[in-house]
Amino acid sequence: MKAPAFDFTQAQSVPDAVALLADTARFTKPLAGGQSLGPMLNLRVAFPEHLIGVRQIEALRHAFIDPANGELVLGAAVRHAQIEDGLIPDVTRGLLAHVAANIAYRAVRNRGTVGGSLAHADPAADWVNTMPLLGARIVVAGPDGEREIDARTFMTGPFTTALDEPELLVAVRVPALSDAARWAYVKFCRKPGEFAEAVGGVLIDRPRAVGRLLIGATDGAPVVLEAPTELLAASSTDSQVAEHWTDDRLRAAINAAGIGHDPYVAQLHLTMARRAIVAALA
Amino acid sequence: MTTIRLTVNGQPIEAEVQPRTHLADFLREQQLLTGTNLGCEHGICGACTLEIDGAPARSCITYAIDCEGASIRTIEGFDGDAPMAALRAAFSTEHALQCGYCTPGMLVTARDIVTRLPGAPEARIRKELSGNLCRCTGYAGIVRAIRAVMAQSGTPSGPGLASVRPVAPTAP
Amino acid sequence: MDHDIARARPLSTTGVGASLPRKEDRRFLAGEGEFVGNIKLPGMLHVAFARSAVAHGRVLAIHKPAGFEGAVFTMADLEAGSPPVGPIRVLSSLPGFKPSSQWPLARDKVRQVGEPIAMCVAATRAEAEDIADAVVVDIEDLPAVVDMLQARDAPPALVHEEWGDNIFLETLVEGGLKGDEFEALKGSAAVKVHRRLRTARQSMAPMEGRGVVCTWNTRLDQLEMYTAAQMPHINRAGLSETLGIDQASIRVIAPDVGGGFGYKGILLPEEICLAWLTRHIGRPVKWIEDRREQLIANTNCREHHYDITVYADARGRLLAIDCDSVIDSGAYSSYPFSACLEAAQVGSILPGPYKMEAFRCRTWSVSTNKPPILPYRGVARAGVCFAIETLIDAAALAAGVEPHEARLASLIEPDEMPYDNITRKHFDSGDYPEAIRRAMEAIDLPAWRARQGTPEPDGRLIGVGHAVFCEQAAHGTSVYYGWGIPMVPGHEQCGARMTPDGRLELRIGAQSHGQSLETTLAQVANEILGIDPAHVRLVHGDTGVTPYSTGTWGSRSMVMSGGAVAEACTLMVERVRDIAAHLFQVPLDQVVLAQGRVSDRAGVQSLTLAELAHVWYRQPQRLPPGVNPAGLEVIGGYKARVDTGTFSYACHAVAVAVDPGTGAVELLDYVIVEDAGTLVNPMVVDGQIYGGTAQGIGTALFEEMRYDSQGQPLASTLADYMLPGATEVPAPRIIHMETRSPYTTFGQKGMGEGGAIAPGAAIANAVNDALRPLGAELTELPMSPRRVMAAIAAAGSAAGAVAGRGAA
């Protein structure tokens, strides 16, 4: 079980990486932590001809709060373990660290990166579900500079994203939650570290007019349900927001996502969504 | 073939590698360090776990060419390391190994647990072990050995949690 | 009856009964184990195989990639040699058995995904895989035979056309009342329960897969093969038969082996291929099975179907069992165990430790387009235990008694031992009812029943269950020759040699791959000779230097090799005393050996073993005439006084919580009451129980090798084929009973497999106990969340109503 032959170039900077990725003569892919791509290479289900190492690009290793808007700018090469260990500024009242601590195994978290996981876009992975829940924006760099993509539209299907070639995912901008924000992120895995069979996420942050429920680990992009604006008024309560997500609405969303035909899968997603609601209000 | 420079068990190494050669094969085939075993070559079983820059990592899904400048420590590189010495003794006392195939990776993970999470309760120890499969022991002796080493070092496995923190991401 | 007789022995710190730390540990802890993957020979090349992508088809043509014709070999090449390489063909003398011909490389047909078609050799494994990927095979697809019941009843195709059906073997085992009397019993039984049960096909998945390094030693004109194997002498015999070369021209060495569990008890097609290749190309060659090959191409285990009815009286006492059982044996009959062992064993062991008045079991070993099966830890017992123990629970429920009461009413009583059961299994000793009583006390059944009376705060459902089983081990000739397969265990030998410095070398033909024999057999030597276990070296797994043995399987090594080591050491005692008597110039009966010293009874003269060995080897001038010239090298042989095997047994009791919102099962408590007779090394025994139980938990809840309708395996990685980890396996509480076997050297019983047998049954009984309020019942293993949810849904329970109550 050995990888097929490929070339490797260590990129020195983001422009360098973008330029290397622009080579259309060969099938070229970025390699970050390699924790998803590595297995695919060894199993010979991916056959890139040229891998561009981006893990060591200095600009991708930053994590800081943007003084302009208080957002967390999370460099694409920040590793899960760094988030787990609280080594990045937290604007999410612990959500990012909670999610990070339950990705795969520690040895994988030590190497796997936020950007790599997002770009890989496995529906069962955690950041592709967490970032839409948070309303984050994905920053990508191309030949003509950077652009931002709403995380809720970043993933376009299983293992596919809104990244255009030769764009490189460089950072995630995570908005700061208010002090009143309540969240939950629950997932069902057969074993710790295994890919989730269902993810439920809830974020209620009325001061920022956010009431969001996420159904993740679907067959494609996660389902994001936004609570009606009127429920997010100052006079309402978090419970009222939560009550909006009735079983009927959740089932309809599950069916709309195309995963309702399998009763077990549908039930798991319903259970996770309900438990996320309960946990967020707890 | 590309030339890489890295440190293996404290020794600076310069070697020619094919880009597709993963770190475990590089160590086993080119450096003759066969203590790192391969169990699945897709990042699940943990048999090939070793330290890269002080932190446990899967050597089967890390490519040697992407380890330029890294410091690698394999099971052969823990001479004189007190936590590892204590773990080795405890693994034997607690019968934490049978066939021995998962043992090198298990020891590297166990060392990470006792140094990073002193005093961790048993449930946390088990969660931290979830990335290392053992088919022989049922994990009973492994968990006991880790708890025994924590107790010896004055941080008995209990409810408390502390964290020894590695390097933070850089600020711009 | 004294269950704890071994405890009356003086407590040894180094001999039989001591929890001696393992001699093996140092090298493994240092990363110095010598696994086959670590072995490099000068000039060695690497092999990868081009394998079938389809489950069933005719091979029309094999195209070697241009430029690599000399690096790719097919069956045609292997058959062109002299002598030609032949197929693996395992015969059984059981009436009606149909043998299969498994060519080392596919010749006319492929019968499973992953079947090797072409052997590719290159300087590195990666390059060999590149070549294998470039091999093009033209295959005419045939309908895949995937489900065993369909294969038997309405086959879409024939796996082996010459048979006319897909049945390797059909057996019928009957005992007790027959005919009209059986029918009358059925008609009058107060309780009748019927179930259709299924256990999944599994992969044994040791951490190390198979692997081969071999070379042709021109000096000895001998094939030298290092292979990850449990039964090296059997591999040698099989290689000889398929390669057409004599056994003395083959040396098989099993180095450090990373777990076996039955997976490595087989002659592999790949071994035959590499043996041919190294001679053909004149270079050492290496093939290491990767995890994908392990999961999809090589053998599986344990796919059982039961259509079973149990009859009991009004208080749940067992009256009769009537069962049809089908086993999916896969595409080929493996060497040496054959495709029939599993099913035929089902028929004979289904009654277990229970008494009954009538028994009937018909079995079918069915061929499908899936990998062959091998006997995995516990062999058919895990499935059989699941079948009989879930039916006993169902019968108890029908009778309105607690399940343990039904068992206590039906088990063999201790004062009936030794006991021949309804299928003439000879139980050597034991107190089964006491094991259940102790297990019920330890798990505290009343406390769980009380807890069930109140809803759990998290909405989960609580259940408690148990299972009892017996584990026949160390099968001897009398109970094995009837299979008529290439291997019959007979007499086990140990070669013992005292070195000139007084150390002891023991050579056995079995192989230790985690069982700790290097330690436990040294303890046996210590027990007899008084020699420090640190001064004992075990040589095993090498046909070149060890006595013939069928190897390590069936929990036989501690009884058979342990017995042989004891015999050899006893002979050595006599040799030592003889030499000492001559040296001391005293009559033989005046010489005693104790604690590693030989002395005269007067206490005047005394020598250490090292001093005596020094005289024997290096100062023979000191020895008077008449001393036995055979010296300090002996062969000891062993066969149990009664060779029908030892019967270890245990009761596993478990409490579970079932999440009705997800189907997840958590093990809350797990108790094992186990009796393996005299424990040679209690620490090692516990390790075997823990490890076996973890594997049994895999059987119960996780492990499943699924196939689609085309025979394509749906698990090719360890992310899909889920092995239990530290979070899935609890720390069981083990309680020992020690009823000696009357037939073995120290009263020890084989016990390596028991842990893996009961968890499926015990956990199923607990899960079903938990689901009873919902009217749901599980009848298939593993009890995956999907199956649990399906059972709940089938019971018409409104699972969604409780789903939201669970904690996040």
Side-chain angles (χ1 to χ4, degrees):
Chain A
M1 196 187 286
K2 309 297 181 189
F6 56 79
D7 293 330
F8 178 86
T9 305
Q10 182 68 57
Q12 301 304 317
S13 66
V14 170
D16 183 27
V18 171
L20 286 162
L21 289 166
D23 172 11
T24 53
R26 289 188 292 176
F27 181 24
T28 305
K29 294 284 284 182
L31 175 69
Q35 302 300 288
S36 297
L37 187 54
M40 295 174 73
L41 290 168
N42 289 359
L43 288 160
R44 296 196 178 203
V45 295
F47 294 88
E49 294 165 284
H50 189 191
L51 288 179
I52 310 302
V54 298
R55 199 172 54 79
Q56 303 205 34
I57 296 174
E58 189 60 28
L60 304 186
R61 296 161 75 98
H62 298 158
F64 61 95
I65 293 183
D66 184 343
N69 54 13
E71 286 181 344
L72 169 66
V73 181
L74 200 52
V78 170
R79 290 169 285 127
H80 314 315
Q82 293 174 306
I83 303 172
E84 172 186 14
D85 291 346
L87 300 179
I88 59 152
D90 182 29
V91 299
T92 64
R93 295 168 56 77
L95 173 55
L96 289 178
H98 169 80
V99 170
N102 293 289
I103 296 173
Y105 320 108
R106 179 74 183 185
V108 170
R109 299 196 290 273
N110 281 331
R111 197 117 184 122
T113 66
V114 173
S117 177
L118 284 165
H120 181 58
D122 186 324
D126 287 295
W127 297 128
V128 292
N129 290 307
T130 306
M131 295 309 173
L133 180 67
L134 284 166
R137 298 189 314 287
I138 313 293
V139 185
V140 304
D144 304 321
E146 292 188 352
R147 68 179 177 118
E148 292 185 3
I149 306 168
D150 189 320
R152 287 166 289 186
T153 58
F154 175 72
M155 193 171 162
T156 54
F159 305 100
T160 54
T161 69
L163 275 169
D164 288 328
E165 290 179 1
E167 286 177 330
L168 179 71
L169 197 161
V170 294
V172 186
R173 297 190 76 98
V174 181
L177 304 188
S178 81
D179 290 346
R182 303 165 88 173
W183 58 261
Y185 183 90
V186 298
K187 60 178 178 176
F188 182 71
C189 309
R190 295 285 303 279
K191 294 167 51 180
E194 289 303 316
F195 281 108
E197 295 189 34
V199 170
V202 165
L203 175 64
I204 302 175
D205 192 0
R206 288 184 295 107
R208 294 175 48 243
V210 173
R212 191 173 291 138
L213 182 141
L214 177 133
I215 295 168
T218 67
D219 287 349
V223 177
V224 179
L225 303 181
E226 304 282 355
T229 326
E230 60 270 23
L231 281 179
L232 302 171
S235 58
S236 66
T237 64
D238 290 347
S239 295
Q240 285 172 319
V241 177
E243 281 162 15
H244 172 73
W245 295 308
T246 61
D247 279 3
D248 284 347
R249 283 204 169 93
L250 295 174
R251 283 204 186 88
I254 289 164
N255 288 334
I259 51 174
H261 59 279
D262 182 328
Y264 165 68
V265 170
Q267 178 64 49
L268 269 190
H269 282 94
L270 182 63
T271 298
M272 287 303 112
R274 286 250 72 87
R275 288 184 184 175
I277 293 167
V278 170
L281 295 178
Chain B
M1 287 285 186
T2 307
T3 303
I4 56 166
R5 281 157 299 273
L6 71 170
T7 303
V8 177
N9 295 334
Q11 298 294 316
I13 303 267
E14 186 173 310
E16 297 280 306
V17 295
Q18 286 192 354
R20 67 161 147 180
T21 300
H22 59 59
L23 180 59
D25 270 351
F26 169 73
L27 294 166
R28 291 173 49 81
E29 304 294 327
Q30 294 180 236
Q31 302 301 314
L32 308 185
L33 292 168
T34 53
T36 300
N37 292 324
L38 287 167
C40 72
E41 291 186 277
H42 50 264
I44 302 288
C45 80
C48 70
T49 306
L50 44 62
E51 280 186 8
I52 302 178
D53 296 330
R58 306 290 207 225
S59 58
C60 71
I61 53 174
T62 300
Y63 295 93
I65 199 165
D66 197 21
C67 292
E68 176 73 36
S71 175
I72 311 295
R73 182 151 69 160
T74 70
I75 192 64
E76 292 95 339
F78 286 92
D79 288 353
D81 180 77
M84 186 59 87
L87 281 163
R88 282 174 164 148
F91 264 51
S92 191
T93 304
E94 302 294 344
H95 195 26
L97 66 155
Q98 289 179 25
C99 81
Y101 199 79
C102 75
T103 306
M106 199 64 85
L107 281 170
V108 171
T109 296
R111 188 187 178 284
D112 179 55
I113 296 170
V114 300
T115 54
R116 184 168 54 88
L117 304 168
E122 176 166 338
R124 180 67 190 273
I125 292 170
R126 287 179 176 273
K127 178 170 180 279
E128 295 291 328
L129 284 171
S130 63
N132 288 73
L133 296 173
C134 169
R135 203 61 170 148
C136 294
T137 66
Y139 309 98
I142 295 168
V143 173
R144 281 200 311 265
I146 290 171
R147 290 169 61 92
V149 170
M150 284 183 180
Q152 286 161 23
S153 52
T155 55
S157 167
L161 264 184
S163 180
V164 178
R165 297 188 165 181
V167 185
T170 52
Chain C
M1 188 162 185
D2 185 356
H3 312 297
D4 302 314
I5 190 163
R7 284 282 178 255
R9 302 165 47 80
L11 275 178
S12 168
T13 55
T14 49
V16 171
S19 283
L20 194 68
R22 300 199 322 159
K23 292 159 61 72
E24 291 91 335
D25 287 347
R26 193 211 60 80
R27 68 179 186 273
F28 295 124
L29 290 165
E32 294 174 0
E34 189 193 53
F35 300 100
V36 65
N38 300 353
I39 294 172
K40 287 184 177 62
L41 299 177
M44 185 172 78
L45 298 175
H46 293 261
V47 168
F49 288 89
R51 296 176 179 274
S52 178
V54 302
H56 198 192
R58 274 182 226 294
V59 179
L60 305 177
I62 304 169
H63 307 285
K64 299 180 181 180
F68 293 96
E69 291 83 355
V72 178
F73 303 92
T74 67
M75 196 62 226
D77 298 308
L78 273 61
E79 282 188 282
S82 177
V85 175
I88 300 169
R89 205 169 153 79
V90 181
L91 303 180
S92 164
S93 62
L94 291 172
F97 177 79
K98 304 188 195 89
S100 60
S101 289
Q102 180 183 15
W103 294 90
L105 296 169
R107 199 170 68 158
D108 309 313
K109 273 180 78 172
V110 288
R111 295 184 176 85
Q112 60 159 105
V113 171
E115 184 163 348
I117 296 175
M119 171 167 53
C120 307
V121 61
T124 67
R125 171 63 178 250
E127 290 162 38
E129 289 187 20
D130 294 345
I131 299 170
D133 282 354
V135 172
V136 174
V137 186
D138 298 338
I139 292 185
E140 175 196 347
D141 284 356
L142 295 169
V145 182
V146 181
D147 178 75
M148 56 183 161
L149 299 183
Q150 192 191 34
R152 181 190 63 172
D153 301 332
L158 296 180
V159 179
H160 301 277
E161 276 119 6
E162 65 275 20
W163 293 1
D165 59 21
N166 285 320
I167 314 290
F168 275 110
L169 179 71
E170 182 179 338
T171 68
L172 174 65
V173 179
E174 292 178 293
L177 302 177
K178 293 194 178 65
D180 292 345
E181 288 179 316
F182 195 171
E183 293 307 313
L185 179 72
K186 289 179 181 179
S188 65
V191 170
K192 171 187 174 182
V193 286
H194 170 254
R195 295 288 186 279
R196 288 195 179 85
L197 306 169
R198 215 182 239 273
T199 63
R201 179 167 271 255
Q202 284 182 247
S203 171
M204 292 87 125
M207 292 309 298
E208 178 211 38
R210 295 294 310 260
V212 180
V213 170
C214 64
T215 188
W216 193 272
N217 183 319
T218 53
R219 176 177 63 86
L220 298 171
D221 198 25
Q222 186 182 52
L223 174 73
E224 287 178 1
M225 176 178 288
Y226 298 86
T227 178
Q230 297 176 224
M231 305 152 65
H233 289 271
I234 301 303
N235 291 71
R236 175 163 84 154
L239 285 168
S240 166
E241 290 161 24
T242 50
L243 292 167
I245 56 180
D246 64 83
Q247 293 199 31
S249 298
I250 301 171
R251 179 178 181 184
V252 175
I253 301 165
D256 281 327
V257 172
F261 318 119
Y263 185 66
K264 295 170 181 173
I266 181 177
L267 169 69
L268 284 177
E270 290 89 344
E271 289 172 331
I272 300 166
C273 289
L274 268 79
W276 175 88
L277 181 65
T278 190
R279 203 173 187 189
H280 183 75
I281 65 175
R283 296 276 289 269
V285 290
K286 180 178 199 171
W287 165 75
I288 299 298
E289 178 184 73
D290 66 31
R291 186 56 68 182
R292 182 162 46 190
E293 292 177 302
Q294 192 274 311
L295 287 169
I296 71 168
N298 281 328
T299 51
N300 302 148
C301 55
R302 270 197 190 147
E303 188 172 7
H304 295 198
H305 182 274
Y306 297 87
D307 188 331
I308 179 170
T309 308
V310 158
Y311 301 88
D313 70 11
R315 55 188 188 103
R317 184 176 68 90
L318 189 59
L319 296 174
I321 300 173
D322 192 353
C323 181
D324 284 355
S325 179
V326 182
I327 307 296
D328 187 333
S329 295
Y332 296 107
S333 183
S334 284
Y335 190 103
F337 283 111
S338 88
C340 70
L341 183 77
E342 186 98 358
Q345 197 187 54
V346 166
S348 65
I349 68 174
L350 186 55
Y354 294 109
K355 296 179 288 186
M356 64 199 74
E357 289 163 39
F359 175 76
R360 191 199 72 92
C361 184
R362 191 180 295 277
T363 75
W364 290 264
S365 303
V366 173
S367 184
T368 60
N369 291 119
K370 293 188 277 191
I373 61 164
L374 280 182
Y376 175 40
R377 199 173 200 170
V379 198
R381 289 185 179 80
V384 160
C385 184
F386 172 64
I388 186 66
E389 291 298 280
T390 54
L391 268 286
I392 296 266
D393 264 40
L397 185 69
V401 300
E402 277 284 357
H404 71 275
E405 293 169 341
R407 290 190 174 85
L408 290 173
S410 309
L411 286 166
I412 304 165
E413 295 289 336
D415 59 8
E416 295 175 294
M417 294 290 178
Y419 183 88
D420 289 343
N421 82 351
I422 199 159
T423 53
R424 300 197 304 278
K425 292 287 180 187
H426 182 75
F427 287 67
D428 53 348
S429 66
D431 187 343
Y432 290 75
E434 179 64 12
I436 289 190
R437 285 189 288 267
R438 291 192 189 187
M440 290 305 99
E441 185 185 342
I443 197 82
D444 196 354
L445 179 64
W448 290 108
R449 289 284 179 248
R451 183 167 166 182
Q452 286 175 316
T454 315
E456 293 290 307
D458 62 6
R460 293 194 298 177
L461 301 163
I462 300 296
V464 59
H466 69 284
V468 67
F469 65 92
C470 58
E471 175 189 3
Q472 186 181 9
H475 309 69
T477 312
S478 65
V479 293
Y480 221 83
Y481 75 92
W483 300 110
I485 60 175
M487 177 192 90
V488 180
H491 304 81
E492 200 80 9
Q493 289 87 39
C494 167
R497 172 197 290 162
M498 195 162 288
T499 58
D501 55 357
R503 305 294 173 105
L504 186 69
E505 294 174 349
L506 301 173
R507 302 175 203 283
I508 61 161
Q511 206 275 345
S512 183
H513 40 278
Q515 291 87 347
S516 317
L517 294 178
E518 292 171 31
T519 304
T520 53
L521 294 181
Q523 291 179 253
V524 170
N526 168 268
E527 187 74 20
I528 306 288
L529 267 171
I531 189 169
D532 184 341
H535 294 175
V536 180
R537 172 179 294 264
L538 184 73
V539 179
H540 59 99
D542 182 344
T543 64
V545 293
T546 65
Y548 177 88
S549 167
T550 58
T552 295
W553 56 275
S555 299
R556 64 191 300 277
S557 298
M558 204 58 242
V559 172
M560 300 302 293
S561 297
V565 167
E567 291 298 321
C569 290
T570 301
L571 288 175
M572 187 68 80
V573 169
E574 296 316 306
R575 299 281 181 84
V576 166
R577 289 179 64 236
D578 176 72
I579 293 167
H582 282 85
L583 265 179
F584 297 163
Q585 295 292 299
V586 298
L588 185 60
D589 63 8
Q590 291 301 302
V591 178
V592 292
L593 178 63
Q595 274 138 21
R597 282 192 86 83
V598 62
S599 314
D600 66 14
R601 283 192 191 280
V604 177
Q605 302 180 85
S606 177
L607 288 173
T608 64
L609 289 174
E611 290 164 342
L612 181 128
H614 185 80
V615 171
W616 174 261
Y617 288 105
R618 305 186 62 175
Q619 300 175 326
Q621 68 276 15
R622 292 177 59 189
L623 295 163
V627 69
N628 184 349
L632 296 173
E633 183 140 359
V634 302
I635 300 282
Y638 176 78
K639 183 168 184 162
R641 287 189 288 281
V642 174
D643 79 346
T644 46
T646 60
F647 280 70
S648 293
Y649 60 96
C651 179
H652 288 214
V654 58
V656 303
V658 182
D659 184 338
T662 62
V665 175
E666 184 188 357
L667 308 181
L668 302 175
D669 192 16
Y670 205 111
V671 169
I672 299 169
V673 180
E674 144 97 8
D675 188 346
T678 302
L679 308 184
V680 173
N681 182 323
M683 176 191 81
V684 166
V685 167
D686 284 356
Q688 292 293 312
I689 296 171
Y690 288 130
T693 302
Q695 293 186 337
I697 288 168
T699 300
L701 297 173
F702 294 98
E703 296 180 37
E704 184 170 11
M705 183 56 70
R706 293 163 57 233
Y707 288 81
D708 71 9
S709 62
Q710 303 303 307
Q712 291 291 335
L714 297 176
S716 60
T717 71
L718 291 180
D720 311 309
Y721 190 83
M722 227 167 261
L723 301 174
T727 41
E728 287 69 56
V729 179
R733 294 185 283 138
I734 300 174
I735 297 165
H736 288 292
M737 295 165 60
E738 294 190 31
T739 315
R740 294 168 60 100
S741 172
Y743 306 136
T744 64
T745 308
F746 303 104
Q748 79 273 36
K749 298 180 175 185
M751 55 69 55
E753 299 163 89
I757 294 170
I763 297 170
N765 283 337
V767 168
N768 285 337
D769 186 54
L771 295 181
R772 198 150 290 134
L774 306 181
E777 182 179 305
L778 273 292
T779 54
E780 282 190 44
L781 298 183
M783 293 169 284
S784 60
R786 179 180 283 278
R787 288 209 175 87
V788 171
M789 295 302 278
I792 292 172
S797 173
V802 291
R805 286 166 41 203

